[in-house]
Amino acid sequence: QHRMRDYPLSPEEIQKFLAESQAGTIATVGPDGVPYCVPVHFVHVDGAVYFHGLPAGQKLDYIRADPKVCFTVYELHQLLMDLEERPCFTDTAYTSVVIQGKAALLTDLVEKERALMTIVQKYTPQLVEKGLSEARVRGTAVVKITAEHITGNITGGKEKTARAA
């Protein structure tokens, strides 16, 4: 794809963007072949994405049936208006990362707790000292997405004027 080739993010830029982003979208495929996408809070650690939630639900059912997923994070920076104000030439400046891989529900309590504490550290660092009870770790679903392919890009147009989104 043109933009991905022309404006790629380096591995370090991808890591930084994922560390700073607050939410991403997990895409799964249902048994009828229909995609299902849902936003989640996440952490990116050692090349894997982790997110948590209730131990039952549609996304978990779909992951159990077919572990192939796509995870996307993006940030819209601004609209880029064509200098001649032609509507079809309006563009956007944004940063995005797309991760294709396989998702699995974690069963190892040590790995689950490590992932959950990393999530706590990212979103509520003031609560890290409180820790997590074993019952809470056992009762929370934690999904690990092992990346098979990662792309990141930042786009922006030339000869256009920026307008805040």
Side-chain angles (χ1 to χ4, degrees), residues 41-103:
H41 294 98
F42 73 98
V43 291
H44 182 249
V45 180
D46 298 327
V49 171
Y50 296 86
F51 66 90
H52 74 293
L54 295 174
Q58 189 172 357
K59 71 180 169 290
L60 298 184
D61 291 343
Y62 288 2
I63 287 169
R64 285 183 188 103
D66 183 350
K68 293 185 298 268
V69 298
C70 186
F71 185 76
T72 304
V73 179
Y74 74 93
E75 179 181 349
L76 175 66
H77 301 296
Q78 58 193 181
L79 293 177
L80 302 170
M81 304 301 291
D82 176 64
L83 293 176
E84 296 176 29
E85 296 186 355
R86 297 171 292 181
C88 291
F89 290 88
T90 298
D91 205 348
T92 56
Y94 65 91
T95 303
S96 67
V97 171
V98 176
I99 299 171
Q100 295 171 310
K102 293 201 173 135

Side-chain angles (χ1 to χ4, degrees), residues 13-23 42 44 73 75 122-123:
E13 290 170 320
I14 288 172
Q15 176 61 38
K16 183 177 186 302
F17 181 68
L18 292 173
E20 294 172 354
S21 296
Q22 296 297 303
F42 73 98
H44 182 249
V73 179
E75 179 181 349
K122 179 176 179 177
Y123 293 98

Side-chain angles (χ1 to χ4, degrees), residues 138-159:
R138 283 187 187 283
T140 302
V142 178
V143 175
K144 176 182 181 179
I145 300 172
T146 302
E148 295 176 346
H149 187 68
I150 299 176
T151 57
N153 68 78
I154 185 164
T155 63
K158 293 181 182 170
E159 300 176 8

Side-chain angles (χ1 to χ4, degrees), residues 89-122:
F89 290 88
T90 298
D91 205 348
T92 56
Y94 65 91
T95 303
S96 67
V97 171
V98 176
I99 299 171
Q100 295 171 310
K102 293 201 173 135
L105 275 80
L106 298 181
T107 57
D108 179 79
L109 291 181
V110 173
E111 189 176 11
K112 281 179 74 171
E113 182 174 16
R114 188 176 322 119
L116 288 168
M117 287 305 297
T118 305
I119 292 168
V120 170
Q121 177 65 43
K122 179 176 179 177

Side-chain angles (χ1 to χ4, degrees), residues 5 95 130 163:
R5 281 193 316 268
T95 303
K130 302 240 182 223
R163 186 179 82 199

